[in-house]
Amino acid sequence: MARIFSSRKRMTDLKIQPAGILRYESSPGSLRALVEKCGGLKGLGAGDRTFIKPNLVALDESFPIPLYGVVTTTRLVHDMVLLLKEHGVESITIGEGSVYGRNFGVPTAEVFEALGYGELAKRYGVRLLDLHREPFSREDFGDYTLEISEPALSADVLINMPVLKTHNQAVVSLGLKNLKGCLSMKSRKACHAADGGLDGYLARFVEKLTPDLTVIDGIYGLEKGPFYTGTAVRMNALIASTDPLSADLVGAAAAGFDPGAIPHLRLCAGRRARSTDPEPVLRPGDDIDSVRKPLKWDNTWRADDTGPRAWDRLGVQGIRLPKYDATLCTGCSGLYSPILVLIMAAYRGEPFNEIEILTGKAARPSGEANKTLLVGNCMIKANRHAPGIRETVLVKGCPPGLDDVTDALRSCGIEADESGLMAFRRNLAERYKGKPGFDETFYKV
Ligand code: SF4
């Protein structure tokens, strides 16, 4: 299985391989059985340099907000390390570039520490890499280039371990999407370009960074993901394949989606003239229904796009917050939930004064608002001089700070108060306590 960077196989060379399913029951037995039935570590040599890419998207600074379904369970990553050790593998690297910005997240090293990875390093000599601090290689996709982490590209064996979750922009975040965490921040932002082509990028990372094994961790799935504002569901689903697309097709079906209706999966399949039907790529005897649990995708918005339907329950009026689109990159998306919560907490039953809040790169003013907040440098650039705006309120930054957003809301007469946000976070921190099936030891070693 040993390869060197220059000869590493590419997705375009891959034959279709089946995906296996197993219900999680114990550690490390369940993962071992699944990997064996998929031939997932076949040919692995003790001298191979292995690289595990979990999904450790971000940790809020107000952790311990539970991360069920948001990040890969530490337990399953620990199991994978044990399997590699059983194969005599010496060189094990776990790499991630967690989101860490002005409003959101902590450095990757702190994410590793909070989730018990320090113990994996201590016990098994695993090397932990913050990919933001490692070199990137500019990879040519023909019509564009992206900076991809060199340690991930140059590993002999790449093991992708996403979590089974929904994603507000990508519909699902499985193996193909998880590879985005191996991009530089600059390239991640480029994937959210104004043309809205995020799905096209998600479909193609795998052409340069082709996992040898994908294991989808569905011990917990996440509805209305990708962050902890979503709702976790205990599923006990494990899905694995040496073929990244097969794994994702089955993973999407396990979450109750038609994989052919998920744009980045459809595009990835289309580029290699493959079907998106998960049934033909299932291992004989495996059954998606044995783990299937339909997950709700996303919050729905009012028909006139003035805000989430949840605002109807409170009767929120006089404000327009169009639904985020694919051009909103992670930095600004970390502000989105706080904005929603601040507005709800500030609503006192009287309509706001026709305020409009625009985010991302593609939204356009309605021409009907008294004040238009342009959130983030991208939105300012796109609309600063747009016709139809009566008064602009600029919220500068890439991304802006939460304080700037709060000040801007106040300047529009919305009494935004961070205590409402803190109460919301406290609720999130408590909500799984005592619920059967929710066990914090899955995120410890
Ligand atoms: S302003 Fe916001 S959307 Fe634009 S690049 Fe910066 S973080 Fe992304």
Side-chain angles (χ1 to χ4, degrees), residues 29-40:
S30 296
L31 184 64
R32 186 190 292 120
L34 178 63
V35 168
E36 273 171 15
K37 81 172 173 173
C38 295

Side-chain angles (χ1 to χ4, degrees), residues 132-370:
H132 296 306
R133 302 172 77 92
E134 299 297 319
F136 292 95
S137 163
R138 185 160 282 285
E139 296 288 312
D140 187 357
F141 286 79
D143 32 2
Y144 57 86
T145 62
L146 291 173
E147 294 172 349
I148 300 181
S149 171
E150 270 189 10
L153 281 167
S154 62
D156 297 319
V157 178
L158 176 62
I159 300 170
N160 193 16
M161 296 189 72
V163 62
L164 183 66
K165 63 178 173 178
T166 53
H167 189 283
N168 49 16
Q169 293 167 317
V171 188
V172 289
S173 174
L174 303 172
L176 303 189
K177 168 76 175 62
N178 190 39
L179 297 173
K180 188 161 173 260
C182 293
L183 268 55
S184 68
M185 284 310 289
K186 192 171 150 208
S187 286
R188 292 188 210 182
K189 283 182 180 176
C191 295
H192 293 269
D195 62 7
L198 175 66
D199 293 306
Y201 292 104
L202 297 180
R204 297 193 59 191
F205 304 145
V206 74
E207 293 173 11
K208 300 288 180 184
L209 192 58
T210 310
D212 300 279
L213 173 63
T214 300
V215 176
I216 300 177
D217 176 359
I219 296 174
Y220 296 97
L222 188 71
E223 299 191 314
K224 299 186 179 184
F227 295 125
Y228 49 74
T229 48
T231 303
V233 177
R234 182 76 190 254
M235 289 178 69
N236 289 323
L238 297 182
I239 294 149
S241 179
T242 54
D243 177 337
L245 181 57
S246 293
D248 275 17
L249 295 177
V250 173
F257 293 92
D258 167 8
I262 296 175
H264 71 275
L265 298 186
R266 195 175 59 237
L267 288 167
C268 184
R271 286 183 64 81
R272 38 201 60 80
R274 284 184 56 171
S275 161
T276 54
D277 185 351
E279 293 295 336
V281 298
L282 265 186
R283 282 186 54 80
D286 283 1
D287 179 7
I288 296 174
D289 284 337
S290 67
V291 294
R292 192 187 325 250
K293 201 159 252 183
L295 299 178
K296 292 188 193 108
W297 170 32
D298 198 9
N299 292 314
T300 47
W301 243 243
R302 290 167 170 165
D304 60 2
D305 205 22
T306 54
R309 280 191 196 282
W311 282 3
D312 287 342
R313 282 198 301 275
L314 298 173
V316 176
Q317 294 296 333
I319 192 159
R320 175 174 179 262
L321 175 62
K323 191 171 184 188
Y324 44 79
D325 57 30
T327 70
L328 187 74
C329 75
T330 314
C332 274
S333 67
L335 285 170
Y336 212 88
S337 287
I339 291 175
L340 286 173
V341 174
L342 287 168
I343 291 169
M344 283 195 284
Y347 189 66
R348 299 280 177 271
E350 290 295 315
F352 294 118
N353 183 25
E354 297 306 328
I355 309 299
E356 175 170 65
I357 302 170
L358 303 181
T359 62
K361 303 176 183 77
R364 293 291 172 257
S366 63
E368 289 166 9
N370 290 330

Side-chain angles (χ1 to χ4, degrees), residues 52 67 100 121 124 148 312 394 397 436:
I52 301 172
L67 297 172
Y100 170 42
Y124 308 104
I148 300 181
D312 287 342
L394 305 183

